[in-house]
Amino acid sequence: MAVLTACAGPYQYYEGTGIHDTTATEVAGDWENVEGTRVVLRADGTALIEKLDGQGFDFDDGWRLSGTGTWRLHDDDGGQVVRLALTTRTRVESRSSATITDPSTPEPPATYRWSFYVDRDQHDELRLFFFYGDPDIGNTYVMTRKTGP
């Protein structure tokens, strides 16, 4: 049994944040992270995506996607999740810290889907996040409401 559970990382069995009281109106807006990623979730369900990295193991490929798409707020048993879909890719960039040396690295996808967990910080401010990379590490990719110009 130990062999089977030894690779069970923190997010492999993650069930959500338990948040169920967020509205789509609250989630709509301009989101960013420290790596220059920007996601605009519009009230009409459309989205603008700039330099968004892949989720899970896709993060390791080092690509960053930009384009347009759609989003919806879902309420699952474990909490709310924002489902974001890139439907029209306009640009692909490479993350500067990524080490893409393997020639067999797959081509970045033309369309892509992310699932962001909805959470609140210690000040009750919304934040969106997903897990990336090796599941045994449990890294989180956090998006916060854009502040300033």
Side-chain angles (χ1 to χ4, degrees):
M1 185 62 99
V3 172
L4 295 176
T5 60
C7 294
Y11 76 84
Q12 287 182 328
Y13 302 107
Y14 187 73
E15 294 184 18
T17 61
I19 292 180
H20 297 281
D21 63 348
T22 306
T23 65
T25 302
E26 260 187 294
V27 173
D30 207 340
W31 297 86
E32 65 185 354
N33 87 356
V34 296
E35 296 294 323
T37 298
R38 180 174 174 240
V39 174
V40 179
L41 304 176
R42 297 184 183 112
D44 66 359
T46 61
L48 172 67
I49 300 159
E50 294 178 358
K51 301 179 185 177
L52 187 54
D53 295 282
Q55 188 169 352
F57 280 116
D58 291 340
F59 182 86
D60 296 337
D61 291 337
W63 45 256
R64 308 184 87 201
L65 302 176
S66 296
T68 57
T70 60
W71 73 278
R72 286 193 61 190
L73 178 65
H74 292 266
D75 198 346
D76 295 337
D77 289 342
Q80 291 174 303
V81 177
V82 171
R83 306 245 194 256
L84 175 64
L86 175 76
T87 55
T88 304
R89 186 180 81 185
T90 57
R91 189 171 68 242
V92 175
E93 295 178 40
S94 181
R95 194 171 53 255
S96 61
S97 63
T99 54
I100 305 174
T101 56
D102 185 355
S104 66
T105 298
E107 180 70 22
T111 61
Y112 196 78
R113 294 184 183 279
W114 295 265
S115 292
F116 287 90
Y117 292 103
V118 177
D119 199 8
R120 293 190 186 275
D121 66 14
Q122 67 272 18
H123 304 291
D124 207 33
E125 298 292 325
L126 281 182
R127 65 183 194 138
L128 307 176
F129 73 94
F130 61 77
F131 293 102
Y132 69 90
D134 185 334
D136 293 328
I137 296 172
N139 291 320
T140 55
Y141 193 96
V142 179
M143 302 288 292
T144 56
R145 183 87 55 194
K146 184 174 182 190
T147 58

